[in-house]
Amino acid sequence: MSEVRPFQVSLNLNVRGLPVSATLGINEKSNRLLREGRQVFKFGLGQSPFPVPLPVVEALQANAHQKDYLPVRGLPELQQAVAGYYQRTQHLNFQPENILVGPGSKELMFILQLAYYGDLVIPTPSWVSYAPQAHIIGHHVHWLKTSAENRWLLTPGELEKLCKQDPTKPYIVILNYPNNPTGCSYTDEELKALAEVARTYQIVLLSDEIYGELAFDGNHTSIARFYPEGTIVSSGLSKWCGAGGWRLGTFAFPASLGWLIEAMAVVASETFTATSAPIQYAAVRAFRGGLRIENYLTRSRQILQTISHHVFTRLAEIGTKVAMPQGAFYMFPDFSPLRENLAKRGITTSIDMCERLLEDTGVAILPGSAFGRPAGELTARLALVDFDGSKALAMAEKYSDQEILPDEFLQNCCFKVVEATERLCRWMET
Ligand SMILES: Cc1ncc(COP(=O)(O)O)c(C=O)c1O
């Protein structure tokens, strides 16, 4: 018998050479430094610092015995709770059967791109996974221009410029706000203007509102209010409910896109089958809301706003170009005004900048290039999450009526964020 060949590297062309997701990569590097005994400030991975609210944890405990496969689109009670949530918070009327539940909204985005035939359109900067997903599937990506001066927001003009080139071409446009990586959000007027372009060109719009509940003023508006017929609203438990590891995401579809949820459900049925049953039962409690969850959210927003305000102020003081976020836990400074300082140390790209910063100071941040920005632009994303969320929530109770919590709070509960910001500023200035 002839000798059996060893396994050969045989990969699909679209996957070959793709690096592991940038956020996970920096986390691995930070963990290595930690193992070497170094102090690391984890501003890399965008994970909620807050615990899952107690009523939701209790609901999960009470449903640990749920063991059956659930319907592919989701537990009917959860579909009802999600539709009720959009009715209560946004006055939107989604039919419960048009809610699709998945193991994280990231997975739902992937099967959306798989089921839908059309190019992906995203502003730059955008969250790290949209474009690689399109790449894996073999879809073309159009990056739309934004600017630091306009808080990195997509303008109707930019969207229209692309659509005008070929008005019948099918696209999926993803809008994400409060935004990862910038923390910036749109006003109602800005959303209306974007909705108008979307309607003119009959665009399928995926509105990624996973940070909606973390808008600092508690007043998030879904663009589906202005473009209900073409908007799919994406959300889940990962960010506002602190449950990234539970893996539960939701898509809410308008009736006019029934054919798309249908197709996605087919793909879901042949891949993940259904989302974990106990998690879905617990999610019912989360989406039903109530006073305890409202209080948890009010405190979370207050803490995140306080931290953002502090870091924004310090970065602005050293001359960084940076926009004050309106929500979430990110910030996207542009260190170009300090370019000369950095160039003296041989740093000319955002990747160099982040790698050297991590080595020299232990502060882990992500380069702007991971979000679709040019390599030579000195932008980076800070995820302001390296603090004890449980302790911070408990202490914030003391200052219930203050929008921005006092320095004493920052020093006690968020000392790593304060220290990392100081290290970063000093490093940038030297
Ligand atoms: C903008 C944005 N969308 C979607 C996701 C995916 O969240 P999940 O798959 O946990 O629902 C993330 C997670 O980091 C995100 O930042």
Side-chain angles (χ1 to χ4, degrees), residues 104-106 109 127 130 176 180 208 210-211 238-239 247:
S105 61
K106 194 183 207 171
M109 284 167 198
W127 176 51
Y130 304 134
N176 164 229
N180 176 4
D208 182 351
I210 196 152
Y211 298 98
S238 299
K239 309 298 174 179
R247 309 309 301 129

Side-chain angles (χ1 to χ4, degrees), residues 321-350:
K321 238 195 269 177
V322 60
M324 173 64 194
Q326 281 92 46
F329 29 71
Y330 304 109
M331 199 169 285
F332 197 68
D334 180 355
F335 296 101
S336 312
L338 305 163
R339 183 178 288 279
E340 269 183 33
N341 265 358
L342 294 167
K344 273 188 232 149
R345 285 179 266 166
I347 297 169
T348 53
T349 68
S350 61

Side-chain angles (χ1 to χ4, degrees), residues 71 110 113 117 171 182 187 239 249 260 290 319 329 338 344 422:
F110 187 73
Q113 293 207 57
Y117 176 78
Y171 293 121
T182 69
T187 63
K239 309 298 174 179
L260 193 47
F329 29 71
L338 305 163
K344 273 188 232 149
E422 290 317 304

Side-chain angles (χ1 to χ4, degrees), residues 52-259:
V52 179
L54 198 56
V56 184
V57 172
E58 288 166 353
L60 180 61
Q61 285 164 343
N63 283 285
H65 64 284
Q66 303 286 358
K67 62 165 196 60
D68 290 343
Y69 289 118
L70 293 178
V72 61
R73 290 190 188 197
L75 173 71
E77 241 176 301
L78 177 56
Q79 292 178 298
Q80 190 82 48
V82 174
Y85 163 83
Y86 283 118
Q87 173 59 246
R88 188 173 76 242
T89 58
Q90 299 290 336
H91 312 293
L92 287 168
N93 294 312
F94 291 110
Q95 294 305 311
E97 64 272 22
N98 288 335
I99 304 295
L100 182 61
V101 179
S105 61
K106 194 183 207 171
E107 181 65 24
L108 292 177
M109 284 167 198
F110 187 73
I111 65 171
L112 168 67
Q113 293 207 57
L114 194 71
Y116 186 80
Y117 176 78
D119 291 356
L120 176 68
V121 179
I122 44 179
T124 164
S126 268
W127 176 51
V128 290
S129 289
Y130 304 134
Q133 287 191 346
H135 190 82
I136 291 168
I137 290 165
H139 285 183
H140 189 70
V141 181
H142 299 268
W143 291 93
L144 298 181
K145 250 185 23 208
T146 68
S147 68
E149 289 65 34
N150 190 35
R151 296 183 296 128
W152 308 106
L153 299 177
L154 176 62
T155 61
E158 276 303 316
L159 182 58
E160 179 142 41
K161 206 156 65 178
L162 174 76
C163 296
K164 255 189 180 158
Q165 287 170 15
D166 186 351
T168 57
K169 202 175 163 96
Y171 293 121
I172 291 182
V173 176
I174 304 185
L175 200 64
N176 164 229
Y177 64 98
N179 182 266
N180 176 4
T182 69
C184 294
S185 217
Y186 294 85
T187 63
D188 286 10
E189 292 316 308
E190 287 163 340
L191 292 174
K192 280 181 200 166
L194 286 167
E196 207 171 297
V197 178
R199 177 167 295 121
T200 303
Y201 295 94
Q202 296 280 290
I203 286 168
V204 173
L205 185 66
L206 178 72
S207 189
D208 182 351
E209 301 180 22
I210 196 152
Y211 298 98
E213 287 292 352
L214 297 180
F216 298 153
D217 64 359
N219 241 332
H220 174 78
T221 302
S222 175
I223 191 168
R225 286 207 213 170
F226 310 123
Y227 183 46
E229 71 276 25
T231 305
I232 305 165
V233 186
S234 176
S235 188
L237 295 185
S238 299
K239 309 298 174 179
W240 63 268
C241 202
W246 287 20
R247 309 309 301 129
L248 186 132
T250 59
F251 270 19
F253 289 79
S256 45
L257 296 180
W259 51 273

